[in-house]
Every structure is written in C-alpha cells, then in structure tokens.
Amino acid sequence: MVRSRPRPAARYGAAVAAALMVLTGCSSGASGPRSTSGPRSTSSAAAPSASAPSPGPPTWSTCGKNLECATIKVPQEYTEPDGAQIPLAVMRHRATDPAHRIGSLFFNPGGPGVPATETLRNLPKTAGTPGAFSPAVLARFDVIAMDPRGVGGSQAVRCLTDEQRAGFGTSFDPAVPGGKPLPRLLADAAAFTDGCVEHQSKEFLASLSTDNVARDIDQVRSALGEDKITYYGLSYGTVVGPMYATLFPHRVRQMVLDAPVDTNLWFGNSLTFLNDVAVASERTLNAWFETCRTEGTAVCPFGAGDPQAAFDALIDTLEAKPLKIAPAEGAASGGELDGAMALEATRALAGDQNTWPLLTSALLAARDGNGAPLYTLWSSVTVSPFPVPTGMFEAHTAVRCADWQTPVGIAAHKAAAAKAVTEAKRIGTRAAYSALNCARWPAPNKDRVTEPLTGAGTPPSLVVAGRLDPVTPHHWAENMTRTLDSAVLVTREGVGHGSYGTNSCVDSAVDAALIHGTHPADGTVCETDTPATTRPLVPAKR
C-alpha cells in the first residue's frame, strides 16, 4: 500500500493550527474553520419532479480558481410546481482534463447542514480530509456542489438570534442527561421551535425533506443538460444518494456512499438512531483510552496509566472550576473552558485517530491549567450529531425534523435518555433528549418518504465504512448494503468518520468506481495506512 498521510492539521484546518499555537506558545493570524451527519411508491414519488418545469441552463459566473457559481430556482413543493420557489446555490469545479471528461459528479458532504459549495471551495486546502477528491477524479469530472435547501447559500434556516444562540451554548452539566434539568430542556425546545416559526414559514420548513433535496438534484442535473450523474455522498449524503437513486434510478451512472447511514433507521425512530450514535462515539473514546493505556506512560503520559480515571476527574474539575481563557490572536476569543466543553471537544477529537496526538496534548495542557487548546477546538466544532450551538444547529435540526419520526410523548424521551447514559457512560449524556426539538416540530412533513431506499435499477453502489466510526457505526453500513438492491461493501480498519481521501486502499477503490464503474470484491477490508498513536504532538511538561 501507498503510505498514507496522517494530516490532522489538514482535516481540522486553522482550528488545529490555533490550538497548536497555544500549546507551543506561538501566535498566528489564522481563523478557525469547521472541524470535525415516508416515501410514496417509487413511481408516484418521482412523478412530482417529472411534472415540474425544467430550469433553463444556469448563468455561471467565475467565483474562484476553476470555480463557477450559479443560482437555480426550484419549486418549494413539487406537488405545486408553479408555486413558491427556492433559490439553490450551485458551484461547479470544471474537469481539469476536459478532453477526457466523463460527466458531472454531484456530491453531498453531510451534516445535514454542511454547505457543499463551501466544502468544494476549500477542497484544495484539505487534502487528507474525508471526501477530498483525488486529482484523477478532478481531471475527469465537473464536480457539482449544490447547497441543499435550507443550507448555506440555499436560503439557510435561521431560528435563533445571535444572543439566543450564544445562550443555548452555556450552562451545560456533563453529568446531567441532556446537560440541563428536563424543564429547562423543554423550555429550550419551545424557544427554538417558536423561533423557527417566527423566522421561517411552516411551508418552507416542511419542504426541507431529503426527498425534495433529491428532486432538487434532478432539477440541477436537467439544467446542466446531463442524462446521468455520478454521485458521491458522505454521512448524511448517504441518505441523499439512495433517495435520488430510488426516485430516479435511470439517472444514476455510478454511486459511492461513504460513512453510510442506515436509511431505514434514519426514517424510523429517531431515538434509536441517536442511541446508536452515542454508543458509536463512546466506542471511539474508549479506543483512545485503550490505546493510551496500551502504549504506556512513556508514549501517553496522560493519566499515568489510567487515562479513563484521569479524564473523568478532569471533566469534574473543569465543571466545578472552569479554566479562564484569555483572548489570543488567531485562536478563539476569550472565555472559559468547563467540563461540558471539554467533553464535546474530546468527543470530536477521539473520533479520528489522526487527531489523537492533538487530543493527548490538549488534555495534558488542560490538566496543567491551560485550557486554551481544548477551548479553541470546542469553538471550531461546526457539525455534531447532537445539538451544539457552535455548529450548524438550525439547519442540522430542521432537515432532521423534516425526515424523522420522533415520538411526541416525553416518556419515550425519558426512557431513551436512561438507555443512552447506561450504554454510553460519557457520551450518553450528550445524546439524551437531543430530539426534543423534533418532538414538538411545528412543520410536519405530511408526504414524507416511507418505503425502503433500494435504488433498484441502478448500477451496483460502492459502500465504504470505517470499522470504528464515531457517528455512523459499521452495522449501519451492513444494513445499507442489505437494503440497496445491489451494493458492494468495503471496510476500512481504524477510527474515523469517512474514509475516501484518508486511506490509500479506499482511495483506489473509490476512484475506480467513480471513473471506471469497477468495484473490488464485496467484503474487501482496507488496513489502516498508519497505525494509531496517542503520542502527544507537544511533549508533556516534566
């Protein structure tokens, strides 16, 4: 195998750089970007898009190196094609070898709530990041980024004022399920959903479902004049892809699904879905603990041989007495680091073995009274499976609530919270009650898709899953492979969310699927290119 490139700085961008600056005592002017989510019958579901008038060719304008941008308007509801419309932000990266261009490659980087256009613009800066296309793919395809409705430049959902958003991120207790007493969580849910109705129409909120996103993709395909599209989806993008393939199977040339979601569970009981995520995240944190302990104190000095006990003690200490964080140029603004923030930053960093050395360094710094690295990393978390006001909270929640079936009765949420904290000792409190907003969602989606997303009639899909994924557990990939009419499963060993762009074996398989339509044997296993280590990036103080 080709040697891989463990690039935590590439994946987490300037947030990692800023944290390292704090650890080493340097300063920088860099700013912190994101870090590191029922159908009608197939024929009747596809019909509304077929009846919608096709948009004309887009008017492109240059918006970066080899990038073009356009706005394409689509129906808010495809059952009312002549009614209200939604502007979609679309970006195109032209094939670098136009003489050998294959066609258009659509991609969705996940979330929900991650703007595809922003991701495409940053791809040259993020080599070694999950979802970063290889030069071979960029040569052969026009890569098309469409911000899904309600996300980024496509009329982003807004439910909170800046003041409310800041308030939602304070006063969490990592020892309490949901972070706050249940009455306060219910009050927060009421404020959030009331704010959504105040700032958005119910009709718009109800239209944010994945089936409409798939229809939007087909409108963009039509505007581009493409007969078929190639598709790559990461995380939530693996819900969008099978939906498109199920509604428009004759329009799919090839499809790759990376870090797949169990689509049956996504459209099923959201409480079970969130419990699975909490358990998966707990497993990756436990993997860091076990690796630190196994490598020994000469490599991983945090905890002096018992990192779990040391971590729990650190969280309790920070919650009782948060560390003050002075403003620092190029890093996060001043504030304080408490136990809940440290737990969330740790959850994110433990979920990628390439960032384990940074996690070790940040925990050692916090132990020694320097909370700035963890605080900087916490403030950079823009996507989380659980509500994080520093993240794309509104768009993330709105899309999920349009798709999910969430129990309304509080008893079901209480039972799910108890289950989560039992099965995921540390992360379970993060998952508990995190579906309350959807329980009282004010804009129900009455024509949601309910049938299994089989993609029947499309070429075989390539499904790629990590063995220890902190967000989409491996058994979801197994379930997706069984649900799809035809699919091949490739497993990457190691810890991380998303595999393409981070593993040479996976890269070869995905490139072959996208470019040539060929697949490895079902059940292929890709070993990790670089063994995981918890050795700190910055040596511990003696």
Side-chain angles (χ1 to χ4, degrees):
M1 280 183 195
V2 177
R3 289 182 61 83
S4 96
R5 55 279 185 198
R7 297 184 181 175
R11 178 167 186 180
Y12 288 87
V16 170
L20 287 173
M21 294 294 180
V22 174
L23 283 164
T24 57
C26 301
S27 63
S28 168
S31 60
R34 71 182 183 92
S35 90
T36 124
S37 62
R40 317 166 193 114
S41 69
T42 299
S43 58
S44 62
S49 183
S51 64
S54 296
T59 301
W60 296 104
S61 61
T62 301
C63 55
K65 184 180 180 181
N66 208 27
L67 295 175
E68 297 173 326
C69 292
T71 299
I72 296 176
K73 291 186 176 181
V74 298
Q76 179 171 284
E77 280 295 347
Y78 283 90
T79 52
E80 301 174 9
D82 297 323
Q85 292 193 317
I86 295 174
L88 299 178
V90 180
M91 182 182 287
R92 176 170 66 179
H93 181 283
R94 300 306 298 265
T96 58
D97 184 5
H100 297 95
R101 176 185 178 276
I102 294 172
S104 289
L105 169 60
F106 283 67
F107 81 103
N108 182 294
V114 178
T117 56
E118 177 184 331
T119 303
L120 181 58
R121 183 181 297 281
N122 289 328
L123 277 183
K125 308 172 188 175
T126 54
T129 302
F133 296 110
S134 70
V137 168
L138 293 175
R140 304 295 298 278
F141 291 96
D142 288 346
V143 179
I144 307 298
M146 180 196 84
D147 286 352
R149 53 176 61 200
V151 174
S154 298
Q155 207 167 307
V157 173
R158 181 77 173 178
C159 297
L160 303 173
T161 64
D162 291 340
E163 183 179 2
Q164 285 177 314
R165 176 183 272 257
F168 269 68
T170 60
S171 302
F172 284 108
D173 185 339
V176 175
K180 300 178 184 179
L182 184 55
R184 286 189 59 193
L185 292 173
L186 292 170
D188 283 352
F192 181 88
T193 52
D194 289 348
C196 290
V197 173
E198 180 180 351
H199 293 93
Q200 317 283 173
S201 73
K202 291 184 179 180
E203 293 76 16
F204 173 66
L205 292 173
S207 81
L208 301 179
S209 56
T210 300
D211 54 303
N212 276 339
V213 174
R215 296 185 180 99
D216 293 343
I217 289 176
D218 203 59
Q219 288 289 94
V220 175
R221 174 206 60 77
S222 177
L224 295 175
E226 298 281 17
D227 183 57
K228 294 178 181 286
I229 66 168
T230 303
Y231 181 86
Y232 168 84
L234 175 66
S235 195
Y236 166 73
T238 68
V239 182
V240 176
M243 180 68 77
Y244 183 82
T246 300
L247 300 186
F248 306 99
H250 58 297
R251 298 298 187 188
V252 177
R253 175 188 164 272
Q254 294 293 328
M255 185 167 67
V256 174
L257 305 169
D258 189 358
V261 174
D262 182 348
T263 53
N264 297 315
L265 193 56
W266 176 266
F267 294 103
N269 189 326
S270 59
L271 301 182
T272 303
F273 175 93
L274 289 167
N275 190 80
D276 272 13
V277 175
V279 171
S281 196
E282 186 84 8
R283 285 174 179 161
T284 61
L285 178 56
N286 286 339
W288 181 86
F289 288 140
E290 180 60 26
T291 304
C292 178
R293 184 168 46 250
T294 300
E295 290 188 306
T297 55
V299 174
C300 181
F302 181 77
D306 192 351
Q308 287 168 300
F311 178 76
D312 292 339
L314 177 62
I315 297 300
D316 290 344
T317 299
L318 291 172
E319 190 61 24
K321 188 176 181 181
L323 289 173
K324 299 296 182 183
I325 310 297
E329 182 184 356
S333 58
E336 61 180 26
L337 175 77
D338 63 16
M341 293 173 178
L343 178 60
E344 175 57 22
T346 299
R347 181 205 62 77
L349 290 168
D352 181 350
Q353 67 187 44
N354 288 330
T355 58
W356 282 3
L358 179 60
L359 173 59
T360 307
S361 296
L363 289 174
L364 289 168
R367 180 204 65 183
D368 294 336
N370 176 11
L374 276 178
Y375 182 81
T376 300
L377 293 160
W378 170 81
S379 67
S380 74
V381 175
T382 55
V383 180
S384 172
F386 315 118
V388 177
T390 58
M392 287 170 269
F393 191 21
E394 289 104 319
H396 189 72
T397 300
V399 174
R400 299 200 304 185
C401 294
D403 279 354
W404 283 2
Q405 292 188 55
T406 302
V408 175
I410 193 62
H413 293 261
K414 288 182 177 179
K419 179 178 173 66
V421 297
T422 298
E423 297 185 3
K425 177 182 176 182
R426 297 169 181 84
I427 308 301
T429 59
R430 296 281 298 110
Y433 298 111
S434 58
L436 286 180
N437 290 328
C438 293
R440 70 182 317 276
W441 193 242
N445 177 14
K446 298 178 181 178
D447 60 356
R448 59 194 297 279
V449 172
T450 56
E451 290 184 356
L453 302 185
T454 64
T458 65
S461 300
L462 179 63
V463 178
V464 183
R467 183 73 70 188
L468 277 178
D469 188 305
V471 181
T472 55
H474 191 271
H475 70 269
W476 284 6
E478 297 169 354
N479 291 341
M480 171 171 278
T481 305
R482 285 190 288 265
T483 299
L484 288 169
D485 190 62
S486 181
V488 170
L489 175 61
V490 171
T491 298
R492 171 194 48 79
E493 297 292 358
V495 176
H497 183 53
S499 301
Y500 179 56
T502 71
N503 179 280
S504 58
C505 169
V506 170
D507 292 353
S508 296
V510 172
D511 283 1
L514 294 176
I515 296 171
H516 304 293
T518 59
H519 300 100
D522 185 32
T524 293
V525 175
C526 289
E527 299 296 333
T528 184
D529 284 337
T530 304
T533 180
T534 58
R535 182 185 297 275
L537 290 176
V538 177
K541 294 180 180 179
R542 296 291 183 181

